[in-house]
């Protein structure tokens, strides 16, 4: 999956709204930088940060979903990164930020 936390998304939207107009002829549509991770990686990281037990989460392959999304290459976003847009960095930072966005306080 390609993931971005809510607060990073807001940061990127604010950045888009405050940046100067692009040069004439420059692309106005581009891919934002994201973190790429599997659902297993996401569940495991959430469990690690919340001291939860991921053993109750079951994954079943879905051929239709995998055919559309399961084998895509990483999203490349050099143009958007050069304009100052950012991803969460890695799965650990993304989950930390997403949990904070949701009001989760680590114990």
């Amino acid at each position: 999956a390609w993931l971005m936390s809510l607060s990073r998304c807001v940061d990127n939207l604010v950045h888009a709204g405050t940046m100067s107009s692009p040069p004439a002829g420059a692309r106005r549509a581009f891919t934002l930088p994201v973190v790429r991770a599997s659902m297993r990686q996401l569940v495991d990281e959430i469990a690690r940060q919340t001291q939860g037990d991921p053993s109750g989460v079951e994954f079943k392959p879905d051929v239709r979903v995998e055919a559309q999304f399961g084998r895509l290459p990483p999203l490349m976003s050099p143009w958007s990164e050069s304009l100052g847009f950012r991803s969460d960095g890695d799965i650990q930072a993304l989950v930390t930020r997403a949990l904070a966005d949701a009001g989760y306080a680590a114990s």
Side-chain angles (χ1 to χ4, degrees):
W2 299 310
L3 307 166
M4 181 183 294
S5 67
L6 175 62
S7 57
R8 179 58 70 199
C9 182
V10 169
D11 291 344
N12 282 325
L13 287 171
V14 169
H15 178 68
T18 58
M19 61 191 295
S20 60
S21 297
R27 291 183 295 168
R28 291 178 168 257
F30 43 82
T31 302
L32 290 175
V34 294
V35 172
R36 183 178 186 215
S38 69
M39 288 297 107
R40 169 56 70 197
Q41 289 170 312
L42 181 60
V43 167
D44 287 348
E45 185 58 28
I46 292 168
R48 188 186 72 75
Q49 290 193 30
T50 62
Q51 289 79 49
D53 179 8
S55 64
V57 178
E58 188 176 309
F59 296 92
K60 293 182 182 177
D62 184 322
V63 175
R64 294 170 298 158
V65 172
E66 285 190 17
Q68 292 179 339
F69 306 106
R71 305 289 180 244
L72 296 175
L75 290 177
M76 305 307 288
S77 52
W79 176 245
S80 58
E81 291 174 26
S82 75
L83 295 174
F85 294 97
R86 299 288 172 253
S87 76
D88 289 285
D90 58 33
I91 190 69
Q92 294 85 10
L94 181 142
V95 169
T96 297
R97 204 173 270 121
L99 289 173
D101 293 346
Y104 178 83
S107 53

